Amino acid sequence: MPFRDVLDRLPETRWPRLCLTLLCLLLWLPGFFSLPPGDRDESRFAQASRQMVESGDYVRIRYGEEERNKKPVGIHWAQAASVHVAEALGVGSRDQIWPYRVPSLLGALLGVLATFHWGRALVGRRAAFLAAAMLASCLVLVVETHIAKTDAALFATVAAAMGLLGRAYLSPGNFTGRQAAAFWLVMGLSILLKGPIGPMVVALAVVTLAISDRAGRWLKALRPAWGIPLMVLVVLPWFIAIGLATQGRFFAEAVGGDMLAKVNSGEEAHWGPPGYYILTFLIAAFPAAFLVLRGLPAAWRDRLNPGTRFLLAWLIPSWLVFEAVATKLPHYSLPMFPPLMLLGAAWAMDPLRRPAPAWLRWIGTFALVLGAAGLGLASAVLPYLADRRIDPFALLGIPAAALFLWGVLGQLRAGQPARAGLAAAILAIPLYAVAMQAVLPRLSAPWVSPRVAALLAQRAPGLPPSQFGIAGYHEPSLMFSTGTGTQLLRNGPAAAAFLAEAPGRFAAIGDRDLAAFQAEAQRLGLNLREEGAVEGYNYTRGRPIVLRLYRTAS
């Protein structure tokens, strides 16, 4: 069957959810099991969840010896449950990173399926299928499925809550009490995942629609009189428990130290100017951005249509709030991707569509070409830049990018934007597979922590983590790789003192602390023996690093 016929028939398939699930797995599974734990958020979340599994304390969130009072507990419960299931089935362990990524993958999948399921009432079945396929292929979502943290799961709760809200808005008379209960339960889960973010997106849409439509039956259909208490009932037990367990420190640090810091200043150097998300959207939404840009003018012209008005109310106020917040990262805007994809797909599927302005078409096409060429070339050259080697598998990124551009641009030239959008989602599979499976996991330089753990296991098999210390490299992936109890030492002299305190200990020393370590070891009369070294690149700090492993010789 010709490829164009496949593109035409897929949106009408009898098994849309099965097809979308298969597409998601083909896009997301490459690298899912093989990518080492990343710095810094992924390893922090995974390590805190592992400590829950190890300690049996499912109330407090700890990273090492420190309380991690930043986000609620939801994602840690999900990750701990995933680890327990993996261990019970004998397919994984708490020391592997992939079980902690399962909630991210499932969250992304649920978000894509929710976009299709509830998007049908907003833009029609064919357009909803196209939108869900485009959403699945977005670069930011592909990345988030490979990171064990909150954002993909949050995305799922927002997509589901807004889908239910859309059903209430379009057809309040048919909105059942069961659907209202599901809406408020999902809102409670969203709060347990990332605090106020999910409810904020929903509340802004509700206020916008209430102002534009003067409220009405759809708001009553949500049954807030008993729905809000139901939502509170979901979140209250843990909030009471964590408040008692930390004597109120969780709320002081989560609200004052984390949330307000993100609003008022660019936390951890993640500052961005207003307009940041508009610019990064072209990359974050690759390869779907070109179609979304073409559909936006039509969406604004069609704003009196109830379905379009709902999608704009979902999108615009939350987008403005995220642009106003000082701390910015590309994935923060992920909860607004479903309405963008639905609006773009609705335009593409409209047989009476009007062409987009030429400047939008050029920007979208430029972003499409740049994204594909950039991924292909980066895949090809990254092994040489990182490890000074040429990898034949990495070179496959160039023909994968060429195939992608040939297929997508060909459909655009034929005047078939819907086919082009679906072709982009399908032809992104080999492009992502090369980058996520053939290139990134096979690099050596960026994955310092797993290599330190491998060297330690080789030189000191069975060494308890508490008998290993490190100075000059404290990235969270290290503790996840070497085990809870790893001693993070302040500097070189502290490392020498650590070795002097008890026999049989090992210490890894970074190049910047090496001279001070050796001087203090000499002063203490230690007979040092070097057991090996790991050279790599600390990508979170942007500098090369050498770690040398020492023990005291008898």
Side-chain angles (χ1 to χ4, degrees):
M1 183 185 298
F3 188 49
R4 64 177 181 274
D5 292 342
V6 174
L7 299 178
D8 285 338
R9 293 185 182 185
L10 261 181
E12 298 175 350
T13 178
R14 286 184 178 182
W15 308 283
R17 293 171 184 82
L18 178 61
C19 290
L20 288 170
T21 300
L22 180 60
L23 174 65
C24 288
L25 295 178
L26 289 172
L27 285 164
W28 302 341
L29 284 184
F32 182 82
F33 299 97
S34 55
L35 272 171
D39 289 310
R40 295 181 170 147
D41 280 350
E42 174 173 57
S43 293
R44 285 172 177 162
F45 277 101
Q47 177 61 29
S49 299
R50 181 167 70 175
Q51 290 183 218
M52 279 189 173
V53 173
E54 291 172 343
S55 67
D57 182 352
Y58 292 93
V59 173
R60 289 176 292 184
I61 307 169
R62 305 184 70 86
Y63 172 76
E65 297 298 321
E66 299 178 1
E67 292 180 345
R68 184 165 168 78
N69 296 329
K70 289 180 175 288
K71 303 289 189 300
V73 75
I75 195 63
H76 298 292
W77 283 349
Q79 291 177 350
S82 176
V83 169
H84 282 305
V85 170
E87 291 186 337
L89 296 176
V91 296
S93 77
R94 66 194 64 181
D95 299 326
Q96 296 174 291
I97 190 61
W98 72 262
Y100 301 90
R101 292 173 177 161
V102 170
S104 294
L105 186 141
L106 292 179
L109 178 60
L110 291 174
V112 168
L113 295 179
T115 299
F116 168 73
H117 179 76
W118 284 293
R120 295 174 302 170
L122 296 166
V123 298
R125 185 180 187 274
R126 286 170 55 83
F129 184 92
L130 173 59
M134 291 161 52
L135 182 60
S137 67
C138 284
L139 178 60
V140 66
L141 192 58
V142 172
V143 171
E144 288 300 318
T145 60
H146 293 76
I147 303 178
K149 57 188 184 71
T150 57
D151 295 280
L154 173 71
F155 158 75
T157 62
V158 172
M162 290 302 297
L164 287 163
L165 180 63
R167 184 67 58 88
Y169 176 73
L170 293 179
S171 185
N174 296 323
F175 195 73
T176 66
R178 183 178 296 180
Q179 289 174 315
F183 171 81
W184 293 108
L185 288 172
V186 169
M187 292 295 292
L189 292 175
S190 187
I191 293 172
L192 283 176
L193 284 168
K194 207 168 181 177
I197 303 302
M200 180 202 75
V201 174
V202 173
L204 288 172
V206 168
V207 170
T208 303
L209 291 169
I211 293 173
S212 63
D213 291 355
R214 301 174 184 250
R217 290 174 58 202
W218 65 269
L219 201 53
K220 296 178 183 178
L222 295 173
R223 282 86 161 177
W226 57 261
I228 294 176
L230 178 62
M231 177 184 70
V232 172
L233 188 62
V234 172
V235 303
L236 195 59
W238 180 78
F239 278 109
I240 292 175
I242 193 64
L244 294 174
T246 63
Q247 299 179 329
R249 291 188 301 275
F250 175 85
F251 301 105
E253 294 174 21
V255 176
D258 186 60
M259 187 176 70
L260 293 182
K262 284 183 167 63
V263 173
N264 297 324
S265 61
E267 189 183 48
E268 297 180 358
H270 297 315
W271 176 86
Y276 171 93
Y277 290 112
I278 295 175
L279 295 175
T280 58
F281 175 77
L282 298 175
I283 301 173
F286 170 86
F290 78 99
L291 203 56
V292 173
L293 291 181
R294 283 168 162 79
L296 289 179
W300 184 250
R301 287 192 301 267
D302 194 40
R303 63 188 179 276
L304 296 181
N305 178 290
T308 305
R309 186 161 65 249
F310 176 82
L311 291 172
L312 292 173
W314 177 352
L315 169 66
I316 295 174
S318 292
W319 193 282
L320 293 175
V321 168
F322 278 99
E323 289 285 14
V325 171
T327 300
K328 293 182 173 69
L329 284 170
H331 63 266
Y332 284 1
S333 61
L334 189 55
M336 284 86 78
F337 274 41
L340 284 165
M341 300 301 139
L342 288 166
L343 291 171
W347 171 83
M349 285 292 185
D350 184 0
L352 302 177
R353 62 182 174 271
R354 292 166 56 180
W359 65 274
L360 275 180
R361 296 199 305 270
W362 279 107
I363 291 175
T365 304
F366 174 77
L368 183 74
V369 173
L370 184 65
L375 271 176
L377 291 173
S379 297
V381 304
L382 195 55
Y384 181 78
L385 294 177
D387 300 337
R388 290 295 183 266
R389 62 183 176 85
I390 296 176
D391 189 335
F393 291 103
L395 297 177
L396 293 174
I398 295 176
L403 174 66
F404 174 90
L405 291 174
W406 172 80
V408 179
L409 295 179
Q411 297 302 325
L412 283 179
R413 284 194 298 268
Q416 298 291 334
R419 284 186 191 170
L422 199 50
I426 294 171
L427 294 176
I429 293 171
L431 195 57
Y432 287 140
V434 172
M436 305 300 288
Q437 182 67 48
V439 176
L440 291 178
R442 292 159 54 88
L443 296 179
S444 176
W447 312 123
V448 175
S449 298
R451 292 165 59 210
V452 170
L455 177 62
L456 186 64
Q458 180 185 7
R459 293 291 188 264
L463 184 75
S466 60
Q467 299 303 301
F468 171 65
I470 187 165
Y473 182 79
H474 290 176
E475 297 302 333
S477 60
L478 180 85
M479 184 178 293
F480 184 84
S481 298
T482 56
T484 306
T486 296
Q487 302 298 303
L488 305 180
L489 306 171
R490 187 174 63 256
N491 51 33
F498 172 78
L499 290 179
E501 286 174 2
R505 290 182 169 183
F506 283 70
I509 316 299
D511 45 353
R512 296 189 177 186
D513 292 278
L514 184 60
F517 166 75
Q518 291 174 333
E520 181 66 10
Q522 185 176 12
R523 190 188 71 81
L524 293 173
L526 298 180
N527 184 15
L528 295 177
R529 177 172 175 177
E530 184 175 338
E531 294 290 334
V534 171
E535 297 184 32
Y537 188 79
N538 186 347
Y539 56 87
T540 61
R541 295 187 177 274
R543 67 176 182 87
I545 188 170
V546 179
L547 292 168
R548 302 184 186 278
L549 183 65
Y550 287 93
R551 68 177 177 89
T552 53
S554 55

